Amino acid sequence: METFYFQPKAFGYHPNNAYSLALASELAYERDQQKAQQRGKDWGFEQMLFFDRGGTQAVLLYDADKIIVTFRGTEPDVLDDWITDIKIRKTTGPGGNVHRGFKEALNWIWLDVEKAIEAIREAVPKEKQQTLWFAGHSLGGALATLATALCKFNEQPFAVHGLYTYGQPRVGSEKFAAAFNGVFKSQTFRFVNNADIVTRVAPSICDYGHVGQIKYFDKDGTCKSDTDLSWWSTFWDRVEGDLDHYRNCSPKGRMPNSIADHDLSGQYIPRLKRHREEWEASQSAVPQA
């Protein structure tokens, strides 16, 4: 069983939180609630709650220090159809216009999630209330972003302390993205794995914009931030990643690199684990005063 590393008061970027919230996002895909409960207990969580309505699913984990809500993304076996059929219609949302389908999906369970968070926090004194975190992979990342926006713009009674997403699509208009970044960019971290195609829908040409700070895994699995990236370098890195994928995969079972790179369990989590381990090693190498 993997270790669940988490820093509940690290409100800026932290590799431990990036890795652990990816594990929690993976848990949202688990259909066997008993297995999910056991995994959560192994991580040290006291309780877990499950939400499932209208085709939207989420998991809430909590203990004395933190509340983590992760939303389930698109199932791998329907990913091709989902990308093909994704609609670009927008509707009014918190902070600006947002993707209509994403908002409708979140609406199915949001009131239940909101009530659960309120009940958990009301059970403890205000000075001991847990920090709150949202996360998700793929479509789940979009729903986590919208949930955060609801808390930031609709004056919910609780604050969000961090948002981590993995392979998420664009959620709303450029106006929405600008408003979101104006209040929460410093605590939002959006992971992109090389050629992952989902991170490029819905298209920017249709007035869709991304939120948060990008954390980009290049073809070799090295994590890079905004300041290390340019459009041109990212473009060529994706081309090289496509070529490497083509050369290394057997023709019989080959899927496009843009789809393969979207895999949470097989791509994002191993790379996040390596990223966390490299960070930990660098900390150990720093001379102590």
Side-chain angles (χ1 to χ4, degrees), residues 2-25 43 45 66 68 133 135 163-164 166 189 191 215 217 223 268-269 271-284:
E2 67 283 300
T3 302
F4 196 87
Y5 304 90
F6 202 80
Q7 311 297 318
K9 294 186 178 180
F11 304 144
Y13 178 70
H14 202 295
N16 281 352
N17 293 0
Y19 172 63
S20 296
L21 289 173
L23 293 177
S25 297
W43 290 341
F45 285 96
K66 55 193 174 290
I68 294 173
W133 306 79
L163 168 66
Y164 285 71
Y166 312 90
F189 308 99
F191 281 86
K215 298 290 183 180
F217 284 117
C223 186
Y268 279 93
I269 288 178
R271 292 186 164 196
L272 285 157
K273 182 179 181 181
R274 172 185 151 189
H275 173 53
R276 195 207 71 79
E277 290 171 346
E278 290 174 344
W279 171 83
E280 186 176 53
S282 71
Q283 298 302 300
S284 300

Side-chain angles (χ1 to χ4, degrees), residues 23-38:
L23 293 177
S25 297
E26 183 183 44
L27 194 66
Y29 285 97
E30 177 57 68
R31 294 187 178 277
D32 187 326
Q33 290 192 8
Q34 287 188 333
K35 288 183 179 179
Q37 288 276 10
Q38 186 58 54

